[in-house]
Amino acid sequence: MLRASLILLIGLFTLAACETPVTTFGPDGKPLPKIYRIAPRDVATIQYRFLDSMNALRKAAGAPPVALNALLNAAAATHSRDMSIQNRPWHFGSDGSSPVDRVERTGYSGKTLGENISETYETELETLAAWMKDAGTRSVILDPAATEIGFSWFQEPNGKIWWTLVTARGAASAAPQG
């Protein structure tokens, strides 16, 4: 009897693993996005996975690697939250601030080079891939002058993610060569 129960239980688990995912559709008839939930414990993992992927792309393009910078991460996080509050992806803060303004407010002493933003339900790597498809955002990622980045996001309760990437040239690197 125990053996039969175990076989039945294993069979049920096997069938449950074969379950076909259910696609839900919105009022417009299009499939709703799959939500990528980010837990607070995932911050470092996501930032370093993004950094490693970005550096692999930079290496392939002949650009030097970049490093994460805590001040730039703070500027990116602030802008991601602000875009959510404004409910629009754009490069200006609700107070009229530019990427340069936001980076300066953190006390960062290097030079801000660029900013990429996104409003999506996609992962950080899907977002990086989407940025690589556009010439403007790709140029920010592959800018050979960049030495440091800030990368952060804000996730709304509904799952929407507001991603921000800030690139910069560190103060030690910003000094004229020669």
Side-chain angles (χ1 to χ4, degrees):
M1 180 69 174
L2 180 60
R3 182 179 168 141
S5 296
L6 284 174
I7 291 172
L8 179 61
L9 189 57
I10 291 170
L12 288 174
F13 282 127
T14 303
L15 285 174
C18 295
E19 182 179 327
T20 304
V22 176
T23 302
T24 54
F25 297 91
D28 59 359
K30 295 181 181 176
L32 293 174
K34 182 177 184 277
I35 296 177
Y36 174 59
R37 288 279 176 208
I38 302 173
R41 69 179 179 277
D42 298 332
V43 171
T45 301
I46 289 171
Q47 285 180 323
Y48 282 100
R49 184 171 37 229
F50 182 89
L51 176 68
D52 291 345
S53 298
M54 182 171 164
N55 277 333
L57 293 167
R58 289 175 62 82
K59 182 177 182 178
V66 291
L68 280 171
N69 178 284
L71 295 175
L72 296 174
N73 285 343
T78 298
H79 190 54
S80 293
R81 180 177 289 277
D82 191 46
M83 286 189 296
S84 171
I85 291 167
Q86 296 180 72
N87 196 33
R88 63 179 169 183
W90 73 326
H91 294 282
F92 294 96
S94 56
D95 61 356
S97 62
S98 71
V100 172
D101 297 329
R102 290 188 295 275
V103 168
E104 286 178 354
R105 286 179 190 160
T106 68
Y108 183 78
S109 58
K111 180 180 182 191
T112 306
L113 299 175
E115 179 181 74
N116 285 349
I117 56 173
S118 182
E119 167 196 15
T120 184
Y121 289 87
E122 296 175 330
T123 69
E124 67 281 1
L125 298 183
E126 290 170 318
T127 300
L128 178 60
W131 284 339
M132 287 298 289
K133 291 179 184 175
D134 176 81
T137 53
R138 182 176 52 249
S139 69
V140 171
I141 293 165
L142 301 179
D143 184 349
T147 60
E148 297 179 309
I149 67 166
F151 179 68
S152 196
W153 60 90
F154 178 77
Q155 186 166 39
E156 296 179 354
N158 68 4
K160 184 190 293 184
I161 306 169
W162 300 84
W163 299 103
T164 304
L165 165 69
V166 178
T167 60
R169 183 161 187 85
S173 305
Q177 304 292 322

